[in-house]
Amino acid sequence: MSTAGLVKCVVWDLDNTLLRGTYLESLPDRPPADPAIIGLLAELGRRGIVHAIASRNPPEAAEYAAQATGCEFVAAECGWGRKSEALARIAAGLDISVDALAFVDDDPYERAEVGAALPGVRVLSPEDAAEAVGWPEFSPAVVTEEARRRAGLYRQRHRRQQAEQAFTGSHEDFLRACRTEVTIAAASPADVPRLHELSERTSQFNSAGRALPAESIAALLGAPATDVMTVRLRDRFADDGLVGGCVIDRRQDRVWTVPLLMMSCRAIGRGVIDSLLTWLAGRAARRGAAAVQVPCPVSERSVPLRLALARAGFRATADQAAGPGRTVSGRIVSDRIVSDRIVFRCDLGTPRPALPDWVTAPGEA
Amino acid sequence: MTGLGRPGPAVIADELRQVLATAAGRPELTAITLDTPLFGDGVGLDSLTGTLLLRQVRQRFGVDVAAEDLNLDALATLGTLVTFVCGRVAGHRAGGDS
């Protein structure tokens, strides 16, 4: 599937890779950055791919590299441990899969070590990297405003995480203290590229388990009894822009089906998915529906999404007759039947919880 | 871990409290009672802390809650999770995965 291939972060070695020479051996002078690599960093950055460092050097070498290249690095692992472990820590810190990493190092031993320990990582020599700009895994189909600002958003996220560690109240209080604002709204044609990009980049929070082509999203905008919704997120640290969305199929007016529910993993833990599910159930109940259902893959990757569904009161249904095969595949999501999905259903008979006051959404006061 | 048969509910409960406190970054969770809800007002488990919790449960006890419990009902309270893990931990540690 298309999401498997895209590189989200390139992890760079320093000595004889980003830098022309060896940092520690060149002191007190410091080796200049490789000009070809500087161009590469900037080009990949324009495509929404972020950069990180894994180097056998003291931490100040990473600061120097940032200065010498003029590039912002979203993470730096400086030390003498295995580079595969450094890459795993970088991926965990960014909340992305290690399979979304590429690794560039001039040392064949380091490349072999990473390649053996983390077979999903694209392992490249500096020469390969120069060519890689043309490869599909480094070439997202669309580059949105959110993508161009991605490196800055990771930095702001890091500041938010530090603030939360120092915060003593509940998580809900923390979101409030950050002046979190979640805005749910109907999608406009201008949102289509970002919604497509999101469907391509999301894996943990993508109930369809796959990307939705931009043309399909555009076609859904005007479709009868169908809503395409966007979710935007901002707080005092950053404006994250469009971080989530869903498609609502209301053709059966008693049972609404959500063939696609997705959220950027950058927005995890910030009330976005819960707000969207609460709004969705409340909206369906007010319009007279008896239930909302979300087909969702049951896999290791979908655990965060299933946790959100469980919290919002969705339950797996035994009845798969109206499940993924028809309601979903017929028109909207797919050209093939996805059989590994379970329909999670929320019955709307019981009173619905209110949305937090920091959520703005259609039909809410 | 023990190598002397399987851990009892009290041991599992204490280990889960530790895991929760670490995952959520809230040391006070080491003192929660068995009837504390894990979602909502209790522990306030979100997708991030929930995923970390389930991963730790799998690593420490060899129990894959997400695979076995479709609705994640085991996460209702600390007590339900302890019961779920206790019910399945037999046999996993007998082989010794220290």
Side-chain angles (χ1 to χ4, degrees), chain A residues 300 304 306-307 311 315-316, chain B residues 39 46-47 58 66 70-71 73:
Chain A
E300 172 79 31
R306 282 170 57 205
L307 280 159
R311 267 197 315 274
R315 315 274 307 161
Chain B
F39 292 135
D46 63 14
S47 290
R58 205 180 54 217
L70 215 50
N71 280 318
D73 291 330

Side-chain angles (χ1 to χ4, degrees), chain A residues 30-335:
Chain A
R30 292 182 294 188
D34 184 320
I37 302 271
I38 293 179
L40 208 53
L41 291 168
E43 174 53 32
L44 294 173
R46 278 192 286 275
R47 300 178 187 185
I49 296 168
V50 296
H51 301 291
I53 289 171
S55 169
R56 298 187 186 285
N57 268 307
E60 53 268 28
E63 286 164 33
Y64 167 70
Q67 190 192 322
T69 58
C71 172
E72 177 161 9
F73 294 93
V74 296
E77 287 280 339
C78 293
W80 280 265
R82 287 170 199 240
K83 289 215 172 174
S84 60
E85 289 166 7
L87 264 73
R89 283 193 297 271
I90 289 170
L94 299 176
D95 264 332
I96 61 177
S97 159
V98 284
D99 296 353
L101 296 179
F103 171 61
V104 187
D105 200 309
D106 66 301
D107 184 338
Y109 168 79
E110 302 286 12
R111 296 202 300 268
E113 191 273 319
V114 169
L118 305 170
V121 173
R122 256 57 53 98
V123 176
L124 309 168
S125 68
E127 297 74 34
D128 293 336
E131 263 179 50
V133 252
W135 299 357
E137 52 264 61
F138 292 88
S139 308
V142 284
V143 181
T144 61
E145 178 56 28
E146 278 83 356
R148 277 186 286 269
R149 296 193 292 120
R150 197 162 281 136
L153 291 171
Y154 278 118
R155 185 185 59 231
Q156 286 139 1
R157 195 178 78 137
H158 184 65
R159 283 173 41 215
R160 184 183 299 106
Q161 284 167 342
Q162 288 176 325
E164 179 154 23
Q165 277 167 11
F167 191 82
T168 50
S170 72
H171 184 64
E172 175 84 20
D173 290 340
F174 177 72
L175 293 180
R176 215 174 279 278
C178 292
R179 299 199 295 276
T180 301
E181 289 173 36
V182 171
T183 307
I184 302 170
S188 74
D191 296 323
V192 169
R194 172 61 181 154
L195 285 169
H196 166 64
E197 183 193 47
L198 209 49
S199 82
E200 205 176 28
R201 291 178 58 94
T202 46
S203 55
Q204 295 182 70
F205 285 97
N206 182 326
S207 70
R210 50 178 298 172
L212 194 55
E215 308 79 67
S216 308
I217 300 174
L220 288 169
L221 285 183
T226 303
D227 300 311
V228 181
M229 305 304 295
T230 59
V231 190
R232 287 180 164 77
L233 171 68
R234 61 182 296 168
D235 68 7
R236 69 181 168 91
F237 292 97
D239 183 347
D240 282 84
L242 206 169
V243 294
C246 69
V247 176
I248 308 169
D249 177 346
R250 294 182 280 103
R251 285 176 299 169
Q252 290 181 56
D253 53 8
R254 294 287 289 158
V255 180
W256 289 14
T257 298
V258 179
L260 174 65
L261 173 70
M262 60 181 177
M263 184 186 80
S264 161
C265 53
R266 211 175 52 230
I268 195 168
R270 295 174 64 194
V272 169
I273 200 92
D274 303 273
S275 301
L276 183 56
L277 288 170
T278 303
W279 172 79
L280 191 58
R283 168 99 153 174
R286 283 194 300 278
R287 298 254 194 116
V292 176
Q293 55 186 26
V294 181
C296 173
V298 175
S299 67
E300 172 79 31
R301 285 205 150 179
S302 68
V303 168
L305 181 57
R306 282 170 57 205
L307 280 159
L309 289 167
R311 267 197 315 274
F314 283 76
R315 315 274 307 161
T317 54
D319 171 27
Q320 295 289 296
R326 295 230 167 276
T327 328
V328 182
S329 310
R331 181 181 51 137
I332 295 173
V333 179
S334 82
D335 45 15

Side-chain angles (χ1 to χ4, degrees), chain B residues 55-66:
Chain B
R55 195 177 296 159
Q56 283 292 321
V57 167
R58 205 180 54 217
Q59 282 171 5
R60 290 172 185 232
F61 305 105
V63 178
D64 191 343
V65 178

